[in-house]
Amino acid sequence: METKFLENTVEFKIDFFEVDSMRIVWHGNYINYFERARCAFLDKIGYNYIAMEESGYIFPVTEVKCKYVKSLHFGDLCRAKAILVEYENMIKFNFELYNAKTGELTTKGSVSQMCIDAKTGETQFVCPEIWRNKVEKCIKEGGLK
């Protein structure tokens, strides 16, 4: 069982351009929903992709897992939860997508990211102190505000 350090939730409506001819969300868009939830989390903690790059690091995705449980449809309200489960040696989020109206779990998955020095391209086996400090501060304060 992984430790859940912090989590954040966002909600958004499923738009027509995101669905197939059956009005079901196209399977690849669920990864985009993970990204929306992850970006909202990073914005809230104060270390988004722009801040990462400004601090001299980039975090490319190294692994994506996605389990489709139930479909989302055009017009549904999606509740996307990003759960930080690793932050010291890599960034790893677990994700849960729900139909916000029914509360049903529709999709779950995870995304892992490695830290790379933006100037040298070298893999960093410990995430930068600025990131770790932001996470640990939020943990001490009882979560994201």
Side-chain angles (χ1 to χ4, degrees), residues 78-137:
C78 177
R79 183 172 63 248
K81 184 187 295 186
I83 305 156
L84 183 67
V85 296
E86 173 61 52
Y87 70 94
E88 294 171 307
N89 302 103
M90 64 188 299
I91 297 176
K92 182 178 180 184
F93 284 97
N94 287 345
F95 297 95
E96 297 171 357
L97 304 181
Y98 295 87
N99 180 314
K101 183 178 178 182
T102 66
E104 291 178 291
L105 177 68
T106 64
T107 315
K108 56 187 178 177
S110 64
V111 173
S112 298
Q113 297 170 261
M114 285 296 296
C115 182
I116 305 290
D117 183 300
K119 288 183 182 172
T120 67
E122 292 180 14
T123 299
Q124 305 298 297
F125 294 101
V126 176
C127 288
E129 185 176 5
I130 184 172
W131 162 250
R132 295 189 326 268
N133 288 345
K134 286 180 180 290
V135 171
E136 289 165 6
K137 180 178 184 237

Side-chain angles (χ1 to χ4, degrees), residues 23-24 62 81 132:
R23 296 185 182 228
I24 295 171
T62 58
K81 184 187 295 186
R132 295 189 326 268

